Amino acid sequence: MKSENKHSSKAQLLALLREKKGDSSSGSVLAKELGVSRVAVWKTVQSLVEAGYSIETKESGYLLKPENEKDFLYPWEFADSVYPERESFFYHFLKTDSTMDRAHELALKGKEMAYVCADKQSAGRGRYGRTWVSRQGGLFFSILEKPKLTISDYTLFSLIMQIAVVKSISFICGKKAYLRWPNDIYINNKKIAGITTEISGEGDLISWLICGIGINVNNKAPSVKAVSCEEILGRQISRKEVLCKILEEIDNLKKNFKSNAVYSQGNSNLAKEWNSFSDCIGVKTAVFEPESKDDNFLEKQGKILARGIFKGIDPIGRCIIKTDDDNELYFNHGSVSLAFLN
Ligand code: BTN
């Protein structure tokens, strides 16, 4: 009988081989369990081997040793029993210029939702057109969504992504990571992840929104001001686990904050949660125009617009700066950059 399982044949076969924890599974038993022919099983094994899996073919059957498992980000690695359709939203590239561009293409083709991952990017980009160095071992992905939000409320989506990533990195690294406005993630005072959001709209409404997330996981950090999870933990970790944790946190946050989201006024609970992950509240801050595309533009110090104390974010994600003469200034995402001076 054909299996009712909605996952791809690769996902189903891998699940069965992994259940065996290093023992072999005969082709005929696998064929029966999957409801396909032995030849179909053999073909799926071949395509997994081509994708890089170390599946041994023995007289007793097929064998996937846990110690030979690699950290793959293929769509079938994200088959999920709670969300059977999740796997079908995943796109994976061994190398691409930028996952943002691949996600844009999918948005233009009418996709409502997509997770685009790449092992390497040749033209990874950050905010303000800066370069995001994307070496093997890092986690680089973009999430495409078409939320029913007005353009001015897109920051709520961005706040959810930031909180999900900072919580996941804290959990994975076993120590608290922090958010720095607008959307950098620091641990041990060094940058471990960056997030950028690109949107397209029609009238006041968002047509699509793409959130790009880059995390130094097992790659060497690209500068002395950056750090990776491997450097924090002293061992390599699975990028797939990091990504799954982030997706779990995004789902939780969306559930928790949906009921009290009054979109036109932002979301004060979300802002409170964001502020609880900031290590810069109360810190002297300079506010700059983000005009330079240079990666070291903060050192070059463009035009300073204001100085004051960083007070966190307001419910729509604007940063609040209290100036020396006791004024409160509010700055939108994208309009300025901050340099924390302590
Ligand atoms: C920043 O710190 O300026 C944000 C960096 C965002 C990098 C990620 S990596 C995945 C996605 N693809 C890109 O080209 N950029 C984002």
Side-chain angles (χ1 to χ4, degrees):
M1 199 183 71
K2 182 93 183 94
S3 157
E4 287 298 305
N5 197 318
K6 292 217 177 73
H7 299 154
S8 67
S9 51
K10 290 193 188 83
Q12 292 182 58
L13 184 65
L14 277 172
L16 292 175
L17 293 176
R18 283 173 177 154
E19 260 173 31
K20 288 284 188 169
K21 295 189 171 37
D23 284 339
S24 58
S25 321
S26 85
S28 52
V29 169
L30 289 169
K32 202 168 169 200
E33 294 220 32
L34 296 173
V36 297
S37 68
R38 283 173 60 188
V39 173
V41 170
W42 180 82
K43 280 188 179 161
T44 308
V45 169
Q46 291 318 302
S47 51
L48 285 169
V49 169
E50 270 163 35
Y53 291 82
S54 306
I55 302 175
E56 294 171 32
T57 307
K58 306 235 169 212
E59 245 175 64
S60 51
Y62 300 109
L63 177 69
L64 177 63
K65 289 188 184 150
E67 63 270 26
N68 289 344
E69 289 262 33
K70 295 181 198 127
D71 185 20
F72 292 126
L73 298 175
Y74 294 123
W76 53 84
E77 289 290 348
F78 298 92
D80 187 294
S81 50
V82 182
Y83 304 104
E85 71 282 12
R86 176 165 276 172
E87 181 185 355
S88 66
F89 297 137
F90 270 84
Y91 295 81
H92 171 261
F93 296 87
L94 291 172
K95 186 174 177 185
T96 190
D97 43 5
S98 164
T99 57
M100 301 303 280
D101 293 336
R102 298 293 76 73
H104 284 169
E105 286 163 6
L106 292 167
L108 295 176
K109 280 184 190 156
K111 282 270 167 197
E112 294 286 321
M113 162 116 231
Y115 304 103
V116 184
C117 316
D119 290 327
K120 283 194 240 171
Q121 296 182 117
S122 54
R125 58 175 180 265
R127 292 189 308 279
Y128 317 126
R130 279 178 275 164
T131 306
W132 182 262
V133 179
S134 311
R135 296 190 190 123
Q136 186 81 34
L139 178 58
F140 316 112
F141 66 101
S142 296
I143 300 178
L144 161 71
E145 285 201 25
K146 297 193 171 172
K148 289 186 177 56
L149 285 179
T150 60
I151 290 173
S152 57
D153 296 324
Y154 89 92
T155 46
L156 292 172
F157 184 91
S158 176
L159 293 182
I160 286 182
M161 298 297 158
Q162 292 168 49
I163 297 168
V165 175
V166 78
K167 279 185 156 179
S168 303
I169 292 177
S170 302
F171 175 83
I172 299 272
C173 291
K175 67 186 298 185
K176 194 162 179 180
Y178 294 95
L179 288 165
R180 294 210 181 152
W181 196 88
N183 33 20
D184 288 335
I185 295 173
Y186 277 69
I187 198 163
N188 284 0
N189 234 1
K190 292 186 172 196
K191 184 161 169 174
I192 193 161
I195 301 177
T196 185
T197 308
E198 298 179 0
I199 55 174
S200 168
E202 212 175 293
D204 292 336
L205 293 177
I206 291 177
S207 306
W208 48 256
L209 185 152
I210 298 167
C211 188
I213 299 172
I215 306 177
N216 299 319
V217 179
N218 298 320
N219 55 311
K220 190 175 173 324
S223 86
V224 287
K225 293 180 199 158
V227 71
S228 69
C229 297
E230 183 183 1
E231 286 157 4
I232 298 281
L233 288 167
R235 63 181 162 84
Q236 298 223 327
I237 53 164
S238 148
R239 292 169 309 159
K240 174 186 157 184
E241 269 171 41
V242 178
L243 181 44
C244 286
K245 179 74 187 150
I246 293 171
L247 298 184
E248 180 193 316
E249 290 293 350
I250 292 172
D251 289 340
N252 289 341
L253 285 159
K254 282 187 177 170
K255 268 183 224 142
N256 289 347
F257 289 107
K258 204 172 173 186
S259 52
N260 58 18
V262 181
Y263 287 134
S264 57
Q265 294 160 17
N267 187 310
S268 54
N269 288 339
L270 212 47
K272 207 166 150 193
E273 179 98 349
W274 193 99
N275 286 330
S276 75
F277 280 99
S278 168
D279 60 349
C280 290
I281 292 178
V283 170
K284 268 194 198 158
T285 304
V287 182
F288 294 93
E289 271 182 353
E291 56 198 346
S292 173
K293 289 197 166 194
D294 189 295
D295 286 355
N296 291 316
F297 75 106
L298 285 184
E299 282 77 10
K300 292 195 174 159
Q301 303 210 333
K303 189 172 167 196
I304 292 185
L305 300 174
R307 284 178 191 277
I309 302 291
F310 180 70
K311 303 290 281 181
I313 63 165
D314 75 354
I316 56 169
R318 294 178 303 180
C319 80
I320 310 165
I321 302 289
K322 189 160 192 178
T323 59
D324 293 345
D325 51 2
D326 249 9
N327 270 330
E328 267 188 2
L329 304 176
Y330 294 79
F331 295 97
N332 279 317
H333 270 226
S335 64
V336 291
S337 291
L338 302 184
F340 297 104
L341 304 174
N342 282 13

